[in-house]
Amino acid sequence: SQDRTILVRNGETGEPMTTLLAGSGVGSVEFLDNGETLVASTSHMLKRWSLSDLNGDTLSPGWNQVGWVATIPDRDQFIAHALGRSEMVIASMESPQSATIANSSFTGAIAIRNTDGGSEVWGSSLGKDGILNRLNFADNSTSPGMETGHTDLIRTIVFNDSGDLVATSASDWTIRVHDVETAELKGEFHDLSSVVRCLAFDAKTGDLLSHHHGGGVLRWDLDTGERTVLAEDRGTGPNRF
């Protein structure tokens, strides 16, 4: 909350477990590392707490809106990024030490692709070229990952559990799903209720879920293209699910 606190509750009972003092208003929070680590963006800092000892680490000053935080499993690290900034923070799960990577190809959305060969960081820029880029950990350079066909800013990137499909949404009001290896278009959806805030693959069915600016949630069947409304737009909604 903007009251400078983070309230952690039991997910099944709703009972409060602990209250963390963030020091300033909190913009967003993310659970990492199977729920053992909490990362939050405050008014001027990115902070992390281990829920086993509740000791907070300050990781980076000057970020007032962290857009994405994701775990890099095989490296035992996490990456944090703010929309419009070329800097990304990469930090160890075990240590308060963090490093900053500056790369102008990652000023838009980012996502982690997990494969048998390891984790990959994919991202977009604030341009309208519709291109996804891959980060090379060896020298922090980038290489082209895929041309999505979007004609405006890519706002959301998500991979399915197996890492063979990637879904993207953009300001052109379309959702596009591609095969990562072949770049084959597997689905394109235009019948949106409003701008997409976030996407998620259903691990059981393989369907794609989209959550929209107005709070609506849609399910997309990749085989038939059928759209199912799970929640109607109500004019407002949370940032992600």
Side-chain angles (χ1 to χ4, degrees), residues 5-55:
T5 65
I6 300 171
L7 178 60
V8 182
R9 293 179 178 271
N10 182 294
E12 294 189 0
T13 67
E15 291 297 317
M17 296 173 62
T18 188
T19 298
L20 304 175
L21 302 180
S24 56
V26 180
S28 60
V29 293
E30 296 284 352
F31 276 116
L32 302 174
D33 197 24
N34 293 322
E36 296 299 318
T37 301
L38 183 70
V39 177
S41 64
T42 66
S43 296
H44 301 289
M45 295 182 182
L46 178 67
K47 291 186 176 182
R48 171 184 58 183
W49 288 266
S50 169
L51 294 186
S52 59
D53 59 23
L54 300 181
N55 291 320

Side-chain angles (χ1 to χ4, degrees), residues 75-153:
R75 300 177 65 89
D76 195 31
Q77 294 177 318
F78 70 88
I79 187 168
H81 174 62
L83 182 67
R85 300 185 68 93
S86 61
E87 301 90 355
M88 296 177 287
V89 167
I90 293 184
S92 167
M93 287 291 188
E94 303 297 330
S95 167
Q97 299 301 315
S98 63
T100 301
I101 297 176
N103 192 306
S104 59
S105 297
F106 289 83
T107 54
I110 65 169
I112 306 297
R113 180 192 179 208
N114 296 316
T115 69
D116 293 339
S119 302
E120 300 176 345
V121 179
W122 288 52
S124 64
S125 69
L126 287 182
K128 300 180 179 181
D129 55 12
I131 295 177
L132 298 181
N133 300 294
R134 277 186 287 203
L135 176 67
N136 301 320
F137 283 111
D139 57 6
N140 296 333
S141 65
T142 58
S143 59
M146 178 182 296
E147 293 187 10
T148 64
H150 285 297
T151 58
D152 209 333
L153 172 67

